[in-house]
Amino acid sequence: SDVCSSDLLAVLLAAFAGIELDGDRFRAPVNHWLSAQLGREARIDGQLRLKLGVRPGLLVRQLRVAQPTTFGSGDFLNIGELRFELDLMPLLHGQLRAERLSASAVRLDLRQTAAGAANWRFDQAKPEISSQADAQETGAAEAAKIAAHIDIRELQIAGLQIRFQDEGAKPVHVALDSFDARLPADAGDRKSTRLNSSHV
């Protein structure tokens, strides 16, 4: 019984402490899954690390998401490093809680055609919305529905660069040195945001 007790204790300690795994060997299937989900090429070129336990974590380096084929070449999104730490307990109540979500060296290239097609829309097959007002209302409703189930205790972005270009117009560039925020799932909680060093 002493042996069983010690084995159980070792398992519990490992679960709470977390076990780190080298996920590099899973890079190919993960890249395939990401590309299938996003409908465009996505790949992890750098490290992939997994942490198991009550608070599982993920470390990804050099994540790249390509432009849709109709928007030319290059990357839609490029992230130098992405870290994610999840709290499993709220999942029992249908809530996704991230203790920490951080990203650094983020480059986002937004493009829009004269016809209104945009490279940030991942489901271009959805039916057209009749008016801009309807589009805004639908987008707001979808965002609110998603946000109601997401709780990000600490959101950090460092070195964010955004490029936006409407077809036929000059591109607009925005750079943010740092961005810190919270996204509570409970609407009664106070949201806090800190933004540093932005320029166009």
Side-chain angles (χ1 to χ4, degrees), residues 29-194:
V30 168
N31 289 348
H32 179 75
W33 181 84
L34 282 175
S35 299
Q37 295 300 311
L38 298 177
R40 62 188 72 176
E41 183 186 3
R43 68 181 189 273
I44 299 170
D45 290 334
Q47 288 181 317
L48 175 60
R49 297 287 184 271
L50 301 173
K51 180 181 178 182
L52 305 180
V54 176
R55 289 188 175 177
L58 176 67
L59 167 64
V60 173
R61 289 195 171 101
Q62 296 303 319
L63 172 63
R64 308 167 71 94
V65 179
Q67 294 286 356
T69 55
T70 54
F71 284 86
S73 60
D75 292 331
F76 162 74
L77 176 65
N78 190 311
I79 301 178
E81 181 176 287
L82 177 67
R83 292 180 180 269
F84 183 73
E85 184 179 331
L86 183 66
D87 189 348
L88 291 181
M89 299 306 293
L91 285 177
L92 299 175
H93 306 287
Q95 179 185 342
L96 177 63
R97 173 180 294 172
E99 288 299 317
R100 183 187 179 200
L101 175 60
S102 65
S104 61
V106 181
R107 296 198 303 272
L108 184 61
D109 187 356
L110 304 177
R111 304 177 187 178
Q112 184 169 271
T113 67
N119 67 344
W120 59 84
R121 295 180 186 139
F122 285 86
D123 189 357
Q124 300 288 347
K126 287 184 178 179
E128 293 293 330
I129 300 175
S130 58
S131 68
Q132 183 178 1
D134 290 340
Q136 293 175 348
E137 183 177 350
T138 301
E142 291 179 352
K145 184 177 180 180
I146 294 173
H149 297 280
I150 297 178
D151 189 344
I152 301 178
R153 293 301 183 182
E154 186 178 1
L155 173 63
Q156 296 179 333
I157 301 178
L160 173 63
Q161 297 182 37
I162 302 175
R163 177 185 182 273
F164 172 78
Q165 185 170 20
D166 206 343
E167 187 175 1
K170 292 183 178 180
V172 176
H173 297 269
V174 177
L176 307 177
D177 288 344
S178 63
F179 175 82
D180 300 324
R182 288 167 55 96
L183 180 61
D186 184 353
D189 289 349
R190 184 181 64 182
K191 298 177 177 63
S192 64
T193 304
R194 187 170 75 253

